[in-house]
Amino acid sequence: MALTYRQALDYLVMTGSRGIKEGLQRTEALLEHLDHPEAGLRGVLVAGTNGKGSTCALIESACCAAGLRTVMLVKPHLCTYRERIVLDGEPISDGAFAALVDEMMPVVDRVEPIAGAPTQFEILTALGVLAAQRHRPDVVICEVGMGGRLDSTNVLDLGVAAITSIALDHRQVLGDTIAEIAFEKAGIIKPDNDIVTSARGEALTVIRNRASAVGARQVLAIDDEIKATTRSRGRDGVEVTVRAADLDITTRLPLLGAFQGDNAAVAAGCCAVLRTRGVPVDSAAIVSGFATVSWPGRLQWLALDPPLLIDGAHNPAAIAAVVPVVREVCGERRIITLFGAMADKDLAEMLSALRPLGTVPVFAQAGTPRAASATDLARLWGAGARAISSLPDALAAARMLAAGDGVVFVCGSIYLAGDVLHLVGGDHEG
């Protein structure tokens, strides 16, 4: 009997207990037993600390506007596992997802005694690659997970490697310095790749050195080979101009925050080099696609009473980047922050980055075992903090505090963002 969607989810949740394992050997073994579905796939592999998801969404939207068949593989999901495999702009169907898991389960069993038990992330990577092969896309856009060099997605060589901004995150795994983290991210660069990056300073030096060492085709870097200017329009998004060789566009993005200008520049650069590789994404498609992009849970304004502003910022650099945007779009309104984060993050620095907002914080816990406790977060904040472990109760308290002229700003984790969207009416699976 074929697996149901609920059974497929139960299986994936079970594999989540295997944790995180570095290395490509288990994913390579899965793909070998699937007769190498990765062979022949072309597109963009996107690494970086912040901005990966937005960059993927922009590239995909431009390619869809060009009339191309697309597969986008992103992680983590916001509300449903199906978001991790997006075909021609739409999440994979329940039935197709369940069928892929059904097909994968015996392969996982065969691989385990050879290479060890694959993790949930590795299984999902293989699922996405298999779905991509079956869809026969013109272009694949794949978001890298935690690092790059040892991330399971690094089994892919799609021809174009994008690396967004690099900051300190996952230091216990990736290293304690920008240079060390850049080295891990740059591990996705392969021979004859085109590289597009918004990294700067020593991170860019590491990327250029890696590209030279492996024989990459070229590196296009923001401020050097690619010039970008951005103007924020508050809740109306941003206006971005991007100029490079064979590329000169001005477009508006519905995404909030001037920092999206760098993501748009990287995405536009990727589209330009895809064109040199035979993927027809012209300037009109880039402009049109960027103007209609959708990327929920990233400075997403919900016009409720009171309004909610939801963002998945999950490290100090991301929070520091969104704080001025939050103040800009909220104006003189009072801001009540609903905050929850993973326990393995640099919580003290995240909260330090949040303090300039002048906010009243309500601390909660996202629905994952990795979440930091609300009381621990409140203790780190100090005077004025409220700790409410139950997320529905914490959201209700934050909305009550914001009643009248306030806004509830949700941040700290993409898991928290997804849980809150579910509570206010979005789809969710747990």
Side-chain angles (χ1 to χ4, degrees):
M1 180 180 292
L3 208 64
T4 68
Y5 184 56
R6 185 70 254 176
Q7 289 169 330
L9 293 179
D10 290 343
Y11 173 77
L12 286 172
V13 170
M14 179 273 294
T15 63
S17 63
R18 298 172 183 175
I20 299 172
K21 302 176 184 177
E22 292 185 331
L24 308 182
Q25 63 270 24
R26 289 169 301 277
T27 309
E28 289 172 339
L30 289 172
L31 296 181
E32 183 177 353
H33 280 76
L34 292 167
D35 198 22
H36 292 289
E38 78 279 13
L41 297 178
R42 292 293 178 264
V44 187
L45 189 59
V46 183
T49 303
N50 296 312
K52 293 179 294 183
S54 298
T55 301
C56 287
L58 287 161
I59 297 169
E60 185 224 24
S61 191
C63 290
C64 285
L68 301 173
R69 290 177 64 83
T70 62
V71 172
M72 182 170 68
L73 307 176
V74 291
K75 65 280 298 174
H77 61 271
L78 190 63
C79 294
T80 166
Y81 276 96
R82 296 185 299 107
E83 297 170 17
R84 294 176 180 242
I85 303 174
V86 180
L87 311 176
D88 297 331
E90 296 293 334
I92 191 171
S93 69
D94 290 6
F97 188 88
L100 286 171
V101 174
D102 202 6
E103 184 175 351
M104 187 66 63
M105 288 170 63
V107 177
V108 171
D109 291 340
R110 290 197 297 271
V111 163
E112 183 169 352
I114 301 169
T119 66
Q120 181 189 96
F121 188 89
E122 291 164 343
I123 293 168
L124 287 164
T125 297
L127 282 175
V129 173
L130 185 59
Q133 181 204 45
R134 302 276 171 81
H135 190 64
R136 298 185 181 277
D138 299 302
V139 60
V140 175
I141 306 103
C142 179
E143 180 181 0
V144 175
M146 183 186 300
R149 183 175 64 93
L150 299 176
D151 189 83
S152 66
T153 59
N154 204 25
V155 297
L156 294 172
D157 181 359
L158 300 176
V160 181
I163 302 176
T164 63
S165 65
I166 292 177
L168 297 176
D169 195 16
H170 301 294
R171 295 166 71 172
Q172 71 279 12
V173 176
L174 302 182
D176 288 323
T177 68
I178 291 294
E180 288 174 329
I181 294 173
F183 174 80
E184 295 297 329
K185 306 290 185 183
I188 69 167
I189 299 173
K190 301 173 181 71
D192 199 42
N193 278 187
D194 291 294
I195 319 304
V196 186
T197 183
S198 58
R200 294 174 169 88
E202 61 180 336
L204 177 57
T205 299
V206 171
I207 290 166
R208 289 194 186 277
N209 288 343
R210 165 70 181 181
S212 176
V214 303
R217 183 184 293 186
Q218 63 178 332
V219 176
L220 304 179
I222 302 298
D223 300 336
D224 294 335
E225 293 82 4
I226 300 175
K227 306 293 184 183
T229 57
T230 307
R231 183 171 63 162
S232 174
R233 294 183 172 271
R235 290 209 301 271
D236 291 329
V238 296
E239 182 177 280
V240 182
T241 297
V242 183
R243 292 188 175 90
D246 301 321
L247 181 67
D248 189 346
I249 63 166
T250 297
T251 185
R252 288 193 184 184
L253 276 60
L255 306 178
L256 306 189
F259 56 84
Q260 291 289 359
D262 276 3
N263 298 330
V266 171
C270 288
C271 291
V273 295
L274 282 172
R275 194 161 57 223
T276 69
R277 289 177 171 266
V279 180
V281 191
D282 62 18
S283 293
I286 298 172
V287 170
S288 174
F290 284 14
T292 56
V293 68
S294 175
W295 195 230
R298 284 75 174 182
L299 284 173
Q300 181 180 1
W301 180 272
L302 299 181
L304 304 176
D305 185 18
L308 269 64
L309 182 59
I310 301 177
D311 191 73
H314 60 278
N315 56 54
I319 291 176
V322 302
V323 160
V325 184
V326 174
R327 179 48 67 193
E328 177 190 7
V329 301
C330 292
E332 297 303 314
R333 293 173 182 255
R334 292 178 300 109
I335 299 172
I336 309 300
T337 297
L338 178 61
F339 186 96
M342 300 301 102
D344 59 352
K345 295 292 183 176
D346 193 336
L347 300 174
E349 286 198 25
M350 291 174 72
L351 296 180
S352 178
L354 185 64
R355 289 183 190 275
L357 192 57
T359 185
V360 175
V362 177
F363 294 105
Q365 290 171 224
T368 170
R370 289 178 53 212
S373 76
T375 52
D376 285 348
L377 291 168
R379 192 177 298 114
L380 280 172
W381 182 272
R386 292 165 172 81
I388 305 175
S389 296
S390 164
L391 181 56
D393 292 345
L395 177 60
R399 297 182 77 172
M400 187 176 299
L401 288 167
D405 65 343
V407 176
V408 176
F409 172 47
V410 180
C411 72
S413 164
I414 196 68
Y415 298 102
L416 182 73
D419 288 345
V420 170
L421 283 171
H422 167 58
L423 288 172
V424 297
D427 183 26
H428 196 266
E429 293 164 351

